Amino acid sequence: MTEFRIADTFTDSLARLTSQEQKAVKMTAFDLQMDISASGLSFHKLDRAKDANFWSVRVNADIRLIVHRTATSLLLAYVGHHDAAYKWAERRKIERHPTTGAMQLVEVRERIEEIETFEPKGGLASIEATQPGKPSVSLFDNLRKYELMAFGVPEEWVDDVRRATEDTLFEVLEHLPQEAQEALLKLAVGEKPEPPQPAPVDADPFAHPDAQRRFRVLTNVEELQLALDYPWDKWAVFLHPAQRALVQRDFSGPARVSGSAGTGKTIVALHRAVHLARSRPQARVLLTTFSKPLANALRRKLASLIASEPGTASRITVKAITAVGYDLYAGRFGQPQIAAHTLIKTLIAKAAAEVEGHKFSSHFLYDEWTEIADAWQLKSWEAYRDVSRLGRKTRIGGKQREILWEIFSGVRKRLAERNSVTWAEVFGQLTKGLADKTQRPFDHAVIDECQDLGVAEARFLGALAGEKPNGLFFAGDLGQRIFQQPFSWKALGLDVRGRSFTLRINYRTSHQIRLHADRLLPTSVSDIDGNIEGRKGTVSLFDGPAPQVTVCHSTEGEADVVGGWIAERLRTGCQPHEIGIFVRSEAELKRARVALKIGGCRFVELSDKVEVEDGAAAISTMHFAKGLEFRSVAVMACDDEVIPLQVRMEAVSDDADLEDVYDTERHLLYVACTRARDHLLVTGVDPVSEFLDDFLKGE
């Protein structure tokens, strides 16, 4: 029986064809899988190819499939127009790496193509975020041939690697297998990666973990359909070995995967949910996150991942955590009447007015209610008196607590009179119910963007499955926390120490964009329980133009700069839906609208109910940027007093709380900037945000 495989180079090349061409390619690919000897298939031996096993298969008059054919296997390697496909095959070979034992698709070393570098258009007071000039020093000339080959560098590329400098590194990397790229990038930034253990001589080279990230065995038509229908979603077919290990690993308790933006945390979460459902045929799996738009995005990705497995899909529930809480509460207690934030503020003001002898501001009272009294579901004076108030920096004494509790008791009384509940109370009641029941609504839960979970939701999840092996799997990044104040997970029974892992390969964002965005955050971030998430050692797998920062003299000038940039992106092949424009708050959305009109681009404004559309650019506040990615991103209105937001700063009643405000404001800008894959423009009107000094640090 012929083993049928697909390479990631095939899915990449398929995505570059037109929809009609893709349709014809898919039909030919299905024919090959069904019967390689079918009479209608036209194979042609490539005499000029360095690899004797490369053949072409005719799709139509112009399109050719490049396949690697042996007596026992067929690999879909590439597809393209006739001359381009032949040229690609003539400069490639598939061979077992002599040191690592992994099967590789190696580019034959003839010459290194010169890469056309991007020169951004000049703008008003434009500042290019580029690295200062450095002498050209060979980065790896201190490493011997066998050392480089231990990292997966093909033998014929060793000399080029040893000559590589900071200026030429990415040009060389483009010609190397991914495991070699990753190791060299880590070496270039001062890391010391461990070479993988060589595989036994008689081991299947396609079974090597590094080979599985680029070659996939397809055992049925459904798997091939998935790979061909979503060629741009390589994550649906190919996983990095570090990602696959986390997806399939057994954990004795709650586990967490972290990593900076673009490292594939969501991908790991999706595959983890599917793995749990596949490997446990009776299990009910919850895949959740903190917002409805993110949950919708997870649902679409999951559908593409297991489209051919309705049985598995039926046992995975994908909902925002609030939707989970609402449905479970409604089923047990009746539909909850959720108290709006405005109502809570009104009730706090009324209760505070009835209590004499305090000087607490309305802002402090609201935060103390939402982050302590309500979040922890404190229902008695003794509980509030003894709570540690982790995450709250303003210290209060015993007498002050008594006054505060009198106010909060009044709030609870008024809520009960209205038959209203808060979200924290919804999850508090559900948590109590779980303690009384052996029957649980879900056996496992996978939580994406976990850094923005609230106390009550986290406690609910702990009661749901926290004590079970493989019960809870969290994915998130403390550096992207923008909605919740920090709190102790350990205090809720969610101890992930010893089961926390960090992803360090960035697939989404170019080296230049990631480098500058990372300057907005410290090199490591720790939570209250002492778990540390570090950014050091994270590498991006592709190069790109430097991000551009433009300081303008007026909002009109800014609109002209961004509008011209949008028009240029469209002229150079970027599609409208591949463009995102982000601002700090709704007050600045008008500036984005004007810029898009100048750029001649249709747009939609994102919200809980409106998502990205084909044929339209997206604009939104930075809060709605979470979970999105675009080829080109403009972050506008980065003015002084806009980010960090002056209104928010002035509302802080205690200097001790300013640090948290600054942190979340930085996180917002970081989230917005890291939505960009290839092009990033940051603009503001003079005087601009102090954060841009950090973004340009070292320039």
Side-chain angles (χ1 to χ4, degrees), residues 195-436:
Q197 281 292 112
V201 176
D202 58 348
D204 179 2
F206 282 104
H208 192 286
D210 283 325
Q212 289 183 349
R213 68 167 81 186
R214 51 183 163 262
F215 303 118
R216 167 83 178 269
V217 175
L218 303 177
T219 58
N220 54 52
V221 172
E222 289 76 19
E223 287 187 350
L224 177 59
Q225 176 115 30
L226 170 65
L228 299 185
D229 282 351
Y230 301 93
W232 54 93
D233 288 339
K234 291 172 63 173
W235 57 265
V237 181
F238 308 98
L239 279 180
H240 186 282
Q243 294 175 327
R244 189 179 300 278
L246 290 173
V247 166
Q248 298 177 349
R249 183 168 176 171
D250 282 327
F251 297 102
S252 59
R256 182 168 72 187
V257 58
S258 63
S260 58
T263 52
K265 300 179 295 298
T266 296
I267 303 313
V268 170
L270 281 159
H271 279 269
R272 177 70 176 177
V274 171
H275 170 74
L276 290 169
R278 281 175 176 163
S279 59
R280 296 158 175 80
Q282 304 304 316
R284 296 153 301 168
V285 180
L286 172 65
L287 177 59
T288 188
T289 187
F290 72 90
S291 79
K292 183 179 177 181
L294 289 178
N296 290 341
L298 287 173
R299 191 177 297 108
R300 287 192 296 269
K301 287 183 169 69
L302 184 72
S304 72
L305 189 59
I306 53 173
S308 61
E309 302 176 55
T312 301
S314 68
R315 290 184 291 105
I316 302 176
T317 298
V318 188
K319 288 181 180 177
I321 191 67
T322 49
V324 173
Y326 189 96
D327 291 347
L328 292 177
Y329 188 97
R332 182 165 185 181
F333 306 106
Q335 289 189 341
Q337 186 133 347
I338 305 296
H341 296 300
T342 52
L343 174 60
I344 296 294
K345 289 180 179 179
T346 299
L347 297 184
I348 289 175
K350 288 182 178 179
E354 296 175 357
V355 178
E356 297 180 356
H358 76 84
K359 296 181 180 179
F360 298 116
S361 69
S362 58
H363 180 82
F364 175 85
L365 289 172
Y366 179 74
D367 285 351
E368 185 75 7
W369 165 266
T370 55
E371 295 171 20
I372 302 296
D374 188 44
W376 292 88
Q377 283 295 284
L378 306 176
K379 298 295 182 69
S380 70
W381 154 242
E382 291 77 15
Y384 182 64
R385 178 192 65 196
D386 297 336
V387 73
S388 65
R389 298 181 73 251
L390 282 173
R392 296 288 282 160
K393 294 199 168 52
T394 303
R395 306 181 98 180
I396 55 175
K399 183 62 177 175
Q400 290 174 307
R401 285 206 191 200
E402 288 182 30
I403 294 172
L404 286 167
W405 182 248
E406 189 175 352
I407 295 171
F408 296 149
S409 296
V411 175
R412 288 211 182 279
K413 180 181 177 182
R414 287 174 166 83
L415 281 171
E417 290 171 352
R418 286 168 170 77
N419 196 30
S420 296
V421 293
T422 63
W423 279 116
E425 191 163 3
V426 166
F427 285 103
Q429 291 295 327
L430 292 174
T431 300
K432 282 185 180 180
L434 289 173
D436 301 334

Side-chain angles (χ1 to χ4, degrees), residues 85-297:
Y86 275 48
K87 183 179 179 181
W88 183 91
E90 288 165 4
R91 298 191 56 201
R92 303 292 189 287
K93 58 184 177 180
I94 294 179
E95 62 182 12
R96 183 184 190 275
H97 191 279
T99 303
T100 68
M103 191 65 82
Q104 294 182 332
L105 201 161
V106 179
E107 183 174 348
V108 177
R109 196 218 171 279
E110 294 178 357
R111 62 189 178 88
I112 298 179
E113 303 280 353
E114 286 202 9
I115 308 300
E116 181 182 352
T117 57
F118 173 83
E119 294 294 340
K121 299 285 184 183
L124 186 59
S126 182
I127 305 170
E128 286 304 317
T130 54
Q131 289 279 57
K134 295 181 181 178
S136 295
V137 177
S138 297
L139 296 172
F140 312 111
D141 61 353
N142 61 322
L143 297 177
R144 299 179 182 179
K145 177 178 178 179
Y146 77 89
E147 291 176 298
L148 290 172
M149 290 185 65
F151 291 117
V153 176
E155 185 173 6
E156 61 193 272
W157 285 94
V158 168
D159 290 341
D160 295 274
V161 169
R162 295 186 75 242
R163 288 193 295 267
T165 67
E166 286 192 11
D167 295 330
T168 65
L169 175 60
F170 279 96
E171 295 176 17
V172 175
L173 291 181
E174 286 188 357
H175 303 271
L176 304 179
Q178 197 176 83
E179 63 268 31
Q181 294 181 28
E182 294 170 8
L184 294 177
L185 282 167
K186 288 183 177 181
L187 288 167
V189 298
E191 295 287 304
K192 294 182 179 179
E194 283 292 323
Q197 281 292 112
V201 176
D202 58 348
D204 179 2
F206 282 104
H208 192 286
D210 283 325
Q212 289 183 349
R213 68 167 81 186
R214 51 183 163 262
F215 303 118
R216 167 83 178 269
V217 175
L218 303 177
T219 58
N220 54 52
V221 172
E222 289 76 19
E223 287 187 350
L224 177 59
Q225 176 115 30
L226 170 65
L228 299 185
D229 282 351
Y230 301 93
W232 54 93
D233 288 339
K234 291 172 63 173
W235 57 265
V237 181
F238 308 98
L239 279 180
H240 186 282
Q243 294 175 327
R244 189 179 300 278
L246 290 173
V247 166
Q248 298 177 349
R249 183 168 176 171
D250 282 327
F251 297 102
S252 59
R256 182 168 72 187
V257 58
S258 63
S260 58
T263 52
K265 300 179 295 298
T266 296
I267 303 313
V268 170
L270 281 159
H271 279 269
R272 177 70 176 177
V274 171
H275 170 74
L276 290 169
R278 281 175 176 163
S279 59
R280 296 158 175 80
Q282 304 304 316
R284 296 153 301 168
V285 180
L286 172 65
L287 177 59
T288 188
T289 187
F290 72 90
S291 79
K292 183 179 177 181
L294 289 178
N296 290 341

